[in-house]
Amino acid sequence: MDVISFEKEFINLPSPVQSLEHPLFEKYGVEVLIKRDDLLHPIVSGNKWRKLKEYLLIAQKQGNKGIISFGGAYSNHLYALSYVCNSLNLSFDAIIRGNELNSTSNVYLEQMNSWGTNLHFVNREDYREKIAPIGVITTNKLIIPEGGFSEIGVDSMIGLANELENITFNHLFTAVGTGTTIIGLGRFLNQKTIHGILSLKNKSEIQDHLNQTLRNSSNVIIWDQFIQKKYGKKNTELEQFCIDFKSHFGFEIEPIYTGLMIQSVFQLIEDKYFETGTKILLLHSGGIK
Ligand SMILES: *Cc1c(COP(=O)(O)O)cnc(C)c1O
């Protein structure tokens, strides 16, 4: 199957935009909308399809037989890529951080294994080099950087930017991993203010990525004050926020990315960061798997 047929058949484009009602929004006089990119696909959800599309088109054009990429044992990027490669009949080598792991270490790795992905577990020093380990054939394969960050990943966000173009809003908020999503939005929606909520202590990396890829990044605001002390582990307040969110709004967010981003926006609303009448657009970047 080719990339465009896969998109037409399986990716629910364009994703809907919903208006959210909450007493807090009423109290502070703000309007809140959410772009439901989590509904694009149950597995290749959120920004993952957005980012991968351009790479997959390149692989197709070049006639590549396979893909190589990098990530951690819980990487949404590798998980989505594993599923897509299986559907597109591309071989996939996933280079995974942590040589103490194996294909049964968690359900995601097990699933990737069952989708035919070749899992390669490397120690942390070797992982840092971001090169395919000895024994992995690299000829005629496309290497996608960790999390999909590169000019290609950034340019790939044009599809989402086009869908957002006709929505009226003052501030757009997104979660940040590698920054590919926010940088792409910063590039293609350069008249809008785009906020990124960092989950990881990687502000300098994001700043480097911004400097590498955006000539003018004055419309992009990076927030690092909401980073949780225990990334990926239980944080009861945030976990509870996600549970309450689901019971109030009727759909799920996960704590690491979207949950933290939305909790931070709630905090900013309470802190009167926004003037009355402000329209806030949240990007639900997926991550539910
Ligand atoms: C991967 C991921 C992100 C991070 O996106 P970047 O483009 O790397 O910044 C954000 N939210 C969710 C749900 C993700 O899975």
Side-chain angles (χ1 to χ4, degrees), residues 153-191:
V154 169
D155 273 340
S156 198
M157 296 312 292
I158 194 163
L160 174 58
N162 285 339
E163 287 174 36
L164 297 179
E165 201 127 73
N166 298 319
I167 303 169
T168 313
F169 63 88
N170 307 104
H171 298 268
L172 169 60
F173 280 82
T174 175
V176 178
T178 62
T180 313
T181 303
I182 190 169
I183 293 170
L185 293 172
R187 172 173 292 176
F188 298 114
L189 297 173
N190 57 13
Q191 302 302 312

Side-chain angles (χ1 to χ4, degrees), residues 47-48 51 76 147 175-181 254 257-258 285-287:
N47 57 7
K48 298 301 178 276
K51 288 197 278 190
N76 293 340
V176 178
T178 62
T180 313
T181 303
E254 46 67 52
Y257 289 115
T258 3
S285 47

Side-chain angles (χ1 to χ4, degrees), residues 75-244:
S75 164
N76 293 340
H77 163 74
L78 292 182
Y79 191 70
L81 200 44
S82 171
Y83 179 87
V84 180
C85 286
N86 190 33
S87 305
L88 299 180
N89 242 327
L90 287 163
S91 81
F92 179 38
D93 291 283
I95 319 299
I96 295 160
R97 184 178 56 235
N99 59 347
E100 73 283 8
L101 303 167
N102 62 59
S103 61
T104 60
S105 296
N106 70 46
V107 290
Y108 310 113
L109 295 172
E110 270 178 38
Q111 185 62 262
M112 287 167 65
N113 192 40
S114 78
W115 287 327
T117 296
N118 307 308
L119 304 170
H120 308 279
F121 299 95
V122 300
N123 68 43
R124 280 157 176 78
E125 294 80 66
D126 290 346
Y127 182 84
R128 243 173 263 137
E129 306 293 322
K130 301 282 154 55
I131 49 170
I134 292 161
V136 176
I137 296 161
T138 55
T139 41
N140 203 13
K141 290 181 185 169
L142 181 72
I143 297 177
I144 300 182
E146 185 181 39
F149 175 74
S150 78
E151 275 293 332
I152 298 165
V154 169
D155 273 340
S156 198
M157 296 312 292
I158 194 163
L160 174 58
N162 285 339
E163 287 174 36
L164 297 179
E165 201 127 73
N166 298 319
I167 303 169
T168 313
F169 63 88
N170 307 104
H171 298 268
L172 169 60
F173 280 82
T174 175
V176 178
T178 62
T180 313
T181 303
I182 190 169
I183 293 170
L185 293 172
R187 172 173 292 176
F188 298 114
L189 297 173
N190 57 13
Q191 302 302 312
K192 304 279 193 182
T193 306
I194 324 246
H195 301 258
I197 304 294
L198 292 193
S199 296
L200 305 161
K201 290 191 198 103
N202 62 347
K203 188 163 189 182
S204 63
E205 180 198 349
I206 300 301
Q207 209 55 58
D208 287 348
H209 285 177
L210 273 167
N211 298 340
Q212 277 167 37
T213 46
L214 286 188
R215 222 170 304 149
N216 179 356
S217 60
S218 58
N219 62 324
V220 174
I221 300 172
I222 302 291
W223 296 82
D224 63 353
Q225 46 272 73
F226 299 107
I227 298 170
Q228 301 290 296
K229 288 203 183 71
K230 297 189 219 157
Y231 171 81
K233 304 225 177 69
K234 295 261 184 228
N235 170 302
T236 27
E237 216 177 295
L238 178 55
E239 298 261 319
Q240 193 57 47
F241 179 84
C242 294
I243 293 165
D244 294 345

